[in-house]
């Protein structure tokens, strides 16, 4: 959530940044409501002071034996007026909060302006796109031939965009998860978390999924519980409403979870294979930092995700998302895109975002500054480390052999127990 104080002090700058995302975005309605509620607050304070003065006068009049019926009636009338103004102020507070919950974060000054992902600059590439002297097959074809994935039974058990892994396909998925967790905990210093995969609406509001993206969520009927779209939600919200000490920061946390997304509005996109599923596995990286270190920690988090791709020998590139492609809560985001021969292109496998204090204001996560002793909002960061299904697909496609088998990357062999499928 945007800081109302910054909106009040520099509305032109906030509007300028938001319009870089979308020309239709504006905080003008927030400012109008804020002016009205502050005027009501001023009127309320005046009436309360007047009522207090009159109440003191009543005490003196009673002490002198004077009749106080008239002035008491006036005090009661003032009380009714105050209550009416307080109710109006509460109504405006709720309206202002609702507006703020639906306004995205302001992009960082160094985020490039653009309309969509076609305007995302490529910052680096690692490795060369896989080329072989035979025709490369897509992962869904290879996996079906080898009995690793069963798309038909996944649909039979659930719905479209649900997939059943079998045999060595399931074992490869599990091996990737364990490899990711070991690298991030042992080499990169993250604490491993195993969170619930159902969370309440307060947690979803905290990280920005609600209320804006309710249609993308799977909700339990008659329960205030949602299936998580990513481990970012429960892990960030571990500290919802908490006050941390500065010595506790930065916090590094990683978690494996299944993730659930309705993918509303994605009809016709990536309909084959594992790229766009309603249920998929992911290992997430989450950081809580001070404002002073969040930029540096964002770069380090992104490098942690890149290193996993490098250890697997998978060609990738890093792009910076332009303003028109930036996620709702992010102020800056790098996407890591892995090479997939079936698309003859790169596909996103990790988004590494810096949210500034946007999520922390929604989730009320603060720390006490050692320098000032004051309470400040933490900065939150997260990134996929990595999306497991997309990694699985990338391995299958990039490590395939001419006779239709799959070589297992060397770093995974101690987890799979085999070196070829």
């Amino acid at each position: 959530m945007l800081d109302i104080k910054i909106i009040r002090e520099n509305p032109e700058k906030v509007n300028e940044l938001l319009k870089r995302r979308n020309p239709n975005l504006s905080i003008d309605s927030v400012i109008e409501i804020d002016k009205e509620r502050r005027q009501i607050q001023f009127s309320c304070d005046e009436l309360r002071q007047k009522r207090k003065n009159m109440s003191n006068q009543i005490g003196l009049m009673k002490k002198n034996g004077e009749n106080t019926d008239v002035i008491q009636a006036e005090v009661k009338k003032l009380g009714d007026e105050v209550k009416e103004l307080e109710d109006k102020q509460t109504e405006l507070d709720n309206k202002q909060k609702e507006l703020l919950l639906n306004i995205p974060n302001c992009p960082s000054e160094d985020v490039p302006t653009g309309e969509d992902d076609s305007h995302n600059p490529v910052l680096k590439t690692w490795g060369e796109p896989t080329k072989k002297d035979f025709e490369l097959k897509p992962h869904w074809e290879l996996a079906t031939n080898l009995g690793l994935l069963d798309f038909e039974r996944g649909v039979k058990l659930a719905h479209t965009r649900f997939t059943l892994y079998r045999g060595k396909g399931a074992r490869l998925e599990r091996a990737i998860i364990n490899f990711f967790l070991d690298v991030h905990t042992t080499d990169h210093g993250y604490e491993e978390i195993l969170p619930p995969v159902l969370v309440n609406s307060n947690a979803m509001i905290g990280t920005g999924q609600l209320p804006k993206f309710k249609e993308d969520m799977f909700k339990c009927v008659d329960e205030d519980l949602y299936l998580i779209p990513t481990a970012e939600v429960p892990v960030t919200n571990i500290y919802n409403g908490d006050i941390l000490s500065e010595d506790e920061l930065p916090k590094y946390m990683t978690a494996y979870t299944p993730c659930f997304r309705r993918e509303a509005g994605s009809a016709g996109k990536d309909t084959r294979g594992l790229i766009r599923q309603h249920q998929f596995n992911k290992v997430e990286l989450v950081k809580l930092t001070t404002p002073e270190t969040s930029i540096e920690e964002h770069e380090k988090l992104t490098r942690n995700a890149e290193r996993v791709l490098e250890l697997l020998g998978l060609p990738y590139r890093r792009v910076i998302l332009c303003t028109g492609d930036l996620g709702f809560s992010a102020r800056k985001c790098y996407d890591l895109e892995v090479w997939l021969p079936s698309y003859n292109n790169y596909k996103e496998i990790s988004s590494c975002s810096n949210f500034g204090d946007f999520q922390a204001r929604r989730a009320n996560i603060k720390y006490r500054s050692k320098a000032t002793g004051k309470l400040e909002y933490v900065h939150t960061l997260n990134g996929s480390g990595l999306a497991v299904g997309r990694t699985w697909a990338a391995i299958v496609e990039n490590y395939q052999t001419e006779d239709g088998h799959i070589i297992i990357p060397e770093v995974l062999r101690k987890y799979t127990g085999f070196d070829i499928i």
Side-chain angles (χ1 to χ4, degrees), residues 16-43:
E16 176 196 332
L17 290 171
L18 288 176
K19 288 183 184 301
R20 290 180 60 203
R21 277 182 173 268
N22 184 332
N24 297 320
L25 287 173
S26 169
I27 43 89
D28 291 349
S29 55
V30 175
I31 293 171
E32 289 174 12
I33 290 174
D34 194 57
K35 287 179 179 177
E36 186 178 355
R37 63 174 295 282
R38 294 175 80 188
Q39 182 57 52
I40 288 174
Q41 178 68 54
F42 179 77
S43 299

Side-chain angles (χ1 to χ4, degrees), residues 139-140 149 151 163 270-277 343:
H139 67 274
W140 56 85
L149 297 178
F151 295 104
T163 300
D270 303 319
T271 55
R272 306 193 70 181
L274 298 173
I275 300 305
R276 196 177 295 273
Q277 296 278 289
Y343 289 85

Side-chain angles (χ1 to χ4, degrees), residues 270 275 336-340 343 345-349 390:
D270 303 319
I275 300 305
L336 304 183
E337 300 177 339
V338 69
W339 177 257
L340 282 179
Y343 289 85
N345 206 344
Y346 292 91
K347 276 287 182 181
E348 176 203 334
I349 198 166
R390 293 189 178 198

Side-chain angles (χ1 to χ4, degrees), residues 1-3 6-7 14 18 21 27 97 99-107 204-213 232 236 327-332 354-365 377-381:
M1 186 160 24
L2 297 179
D3 185 351
I6 292 176
I7 290 174
V14 175
L18 288 176
R21 277 182 173 268
I27 43 89
K97 184 177 180 181
L99 286 171
L100 287 171
L101 286 174
N102 283 279
I103 294 174
N105 202 354
C106 288
M204 286 288 206
I205 290 169
T207 41
Q209 282 73 28
L210 292 180
K212 183 77 171 175
F213 303 103
E232 166 199 348
T236 304
F328 177 82
S329 298
R331 66 191 303 266
K332 184 176 182 178
N354 187 338
F355 305 106
D357 63 6
F358 187 83
Q359 290 182 330
R361 288 183 180 279
R362 299 168 74 103
N364 196 27
I365 307 172
Y377 286 103
V378 302
H379 278 201
T380 62
L381 303 86

Side-chain angles (χ1 to χ4, degrees), residues 165-179:
Y165 290 77
R166 307 193 75 138
K168 288 186 175 181
R171 187 152 182 170
L172 176 58
E173 181 91 352
R174 177 160 55 93
I176 294 168
I177 294 167
N178 289 333
F179 167 66

